[in-house]
Amino acid sequence: MSKADRVLGSLPHFYRAGEPGKLLGRVVRDLAGPVEDADTHLFRIQRAHRIGVAEQPVDVVRLAALLGLTPFHFEDLAGEPTGMRLAMMRDRVQRIARLRLGGLGTPDGILEIAAIFLGARIAGPVRRVDPDGFSRRATVDFPHRPDRPRAEITLHENPLRRQSVPAAERWPGRSWTVGNDAVGAATPLFSIEGVGDRTVLPSIFCPATRTTVHFHGIVPDGRTLLIDAAGGARIGPHAVDDWLVVSTGGLAGFAVCDDDRYTVDDEYAARPFDGDLDELSLPPVRRRHAVPGIPPGRTDWYFKVADGVCDAARFDYAVFGTPPEPVGVFDDEPGFDAGVYAYPASAVAGMAWDGAVPCAFKLLLPAPASAGESGRVAAVLPAFKPAGVRAYVDTERDAWVLGSSVIRAPDAGDGEGVDHSAARPRSPAADRYIS
């Protein structure tokens, strides 16, 4: 009932104010018109100031400004039908408002922000993927897109970055410096390639941690000895863990008197490995050694091979003197002081390690996510994460197949799918890496 009708209805009946043509009714209606208009405007103004009933997208954006949101945070919804667009905008603002009460910069908050700007909703609790709690995963569904299946969003704190000291020729006593920017120790991969017959009983020593990785044998020429915690010690497909020695304690030339502990060795094969890979067989049970980690900061690592010491080293497993390459000869040209005593390296050695990037996380969006989705989430994250924390946004990749799989006939002898495979397994930890 309009205001004019309510006024006319309150007059005594004998006025007959409601009958058509009565001047009283016309006067009341003319007077009530501006009041009706003002009341309508007031009603719409009130709705425009309430997020749950706002009728125009611009009103939602203005209300969202109280939370620090701008029109940019709603650009992805511009192509939606008006009704759905309004519903999604209201839902986005309300969810962010609730999230602010719980904390924006938490891992669970980051997952919620990603779900909000994907137009998704987290279904069920957030799961912890690893025992240390550095990785979390949330299953999301898309209520506004029923045709899109459920997917997952993963967050990895302190993601890994592969770092390395490139393999280079090494001489006994030479060192290289490793810089570990992570807050904790990093697990290294040692690489030692044999050079001629000079890579005999090679070892790598870190004075800072008093730890030594020693191979009790010969690395054949051109073959590479790899040592890490996951794969153990191996030369090509051959496991050589039985000849790996990891020791802790002082080392001649670096130890401090009355300050260093005695060296403690692992058990290892008493007979050195002679380098004959053809006679080597894989043991049924492999012994794994705890490979020493790289401490945070900068540390020096020294390379060494066996020295020939009378009654202290096996004759066949020691490197005696230098080969005949030196060009400086006493009392001959060039002069002694100008002589260059160059001789081949004892090995080609290097290191690689996976350093955890501190104060950072990697966010994996569900696949297939469009470039717009990942780019938009990356663009909005700075407003919702702690200052100083770096965020890397990527897309979840297929767990087993990259590219196009090829099914070939069983008698195919060459070509794609035979010379190389388009399908390959992926390391479970690969998602934690950033470039």
Side-chain angles (χ1 to χ4, degrees):
M1 180 180 291
S2 66
K3 294 183 181 298
D5 292 337
R6 287 201 298 271
V7 170
L8 293 174
S10 64
L11 294 175
H13 179 70
F14 62 87
Y15 279 111
R16 299 178 180 176
E19 294 183 2
K22 295 289 286 187
L23 179 60
L24 180 58
R26 181 178 177 183
V27 170
V28 171
R29 289 190 175 88
D30 288 346
L31 291 175
V35 179
E36 293 276 2
D37 293 342
D39 192 46
T40 302
H41 287 307
L42 180 61
F43 176 71
R44 300 190 67 177
I45 290 172
Q46 289 178 334
R47 290 178 65 90
H49 285 75
R50 295 179 180 177
I51 190 66
V53 291
E55 297 175 331
Q56 300 296 327
V58 65
D59 294 329
V60 178
V61 174
R62 287 168 179 167
L63 291 171
L66 297 173
L67 300 175
L69 303 178
T70 66
F72 165 74
H73 295 94
F74 303 95
E75 284 182 350
D76 57 301
L77 306 179
E80 302 290 345
T82 303
M84 179 176 290
R85 180 188 178 191
L86 266 176
M88 295 179 72
M89 292 178 70
R90 292 176 188 144
D91 179 69
R92 179 169 296 182
V93 176
Q94 291 171 325
R95 291 173 65 185
I96 291 177
R98 286 193 293 269
L99 189 57
R100 280 184 175 274
L101 297 176
L104 291 175
T106 64
D108 289 356
I110 296 298
L111 288 170
E112 175 68 10
I113 285 294
I116 289 174
F117 285 96
L118 287 175
R121 189 174 293 277
I122 294 179
V126 175
R127 310 184 303 279
R128 294 196 173 190
V129 178
D130 61 324
D132 298 326
F134 286 107
S135 299
R136 291 173 172 81
R137 183 168 295 158
T139 301
V140 297
D141 54 23
F142 301 86
H144 300 286
R145 294 181 176 82
D147 57 328
R148 187 169 180 177
R150 282 189 169 186
E152 291 184 329
I153 301 175
T154 307
L155 182 143
H156 299 290
E157 293 182 81
N158 296 346
L160 302 176
R161 173 179 283 151
R162 174 55 58 94
Q163 297 173 278
S164 66
V165 172
E169 293 184 333
R170 309 292 180 184
W171 285 263
R174 301 288 179 86
S175 66
W176 60 87
T177 301
V178 170
N180 179 15
D181 299 329
V183 294
T187 303
L189 164 69
F190 298 97
S191 167
I192 301 175
E193 178 183 339
V195 174
D197 57 355
R198 303 180 57 77
T199 312
V200 183
L201 279 63
S203 61
I204 297 177
F205 173 66
C206 177
T209 59
R210 295 291 193 263
T211 52
T212 301
V213 177
H214 171 79
F215 182 64
H216 195 57
I218 298 172
V219 181
D221 181 34
R223 307 301 293 268
T224 300
L225 167 67
L226 296 176
I227 304 169
D228 65 357
R234 65 272 190 195
I235 300 177
H238 304 282
V240 291
D241 300 274
D242 289 346
W243 292 276
L244 182 65
V245 183
V246 178
S247 61
T248 303
L251 189 70
F254 298 93
V256 179
C257 181
D258 296 333
D259 192 34
D260 274 305
R261 294 172 296 171
Y262 291 105
T263 297
V264 179
D265 293 343
D266 280 352
E267 294 182 359
Y268 62 94
R271 179 181 175 80
F273 174 57
D274 59 5
D276 188 357
L277 294 173
D278 294 334
E279 299 296 328
L280 190 63
S281 59
L282 291 175
V285 179
R286 294 181 62 182
R287 294 190 309 114
R288 295 295 175 84
H289 299 261
V291 177
I294 303 174
R298 300 176 67 82
T299 50
D300 294 326
W301 296 72
Y302 286 80
F303 175 77
K304 193 173 180 297
V305 293
D307 294 325
V309 180
C310 180
D311 295 335
R314 290 173 178 268
F315 183 82
D316 294 335
Y317 295 94
V319 178
F320 294 91
T322 59
E325 281 79 1
V327 296
V329 180
F330 186 68
D331 281 343
D332 201 348
E333 294 296 334
F336 183 79
D337 294 337
V340 178
Y341 293 85
Y343 54 90
S346 296
V348 176
M351 291 173 58
W353 64 97
D354 299 326
V357 181
C359 296
F361 64 84
K362 180 179 180 180
L363 187 66
L364 284 172
L365 302 181
S370 66
E373 287 180 334
S374 56
R376 182 173 60 257
V377 172
V380 300
L381 275 183
F384 301 100
K385 67 179 179 61
V389 173
R390 287 171 290 180
Y392 301 88
V393 180
D394 202 347
T395 303
E396 189 95 38
R397 292 181 175 83
D398 191 286
W400 292 100
V401 178
L402 297 178
S404 301
S405 298
V406 177
I407 300 176
R408 299 296 305 272
D411 56 347
D414 56 7
E416 187 176 6
V418 175
D419 295 335
H420 63 276
S421 174
R424 64 181 176 84
R426 190 162 57 90
S427 168
D431 288 339
R432 287 198 63 190
Y433 287 83
I434 59 176
S435 58

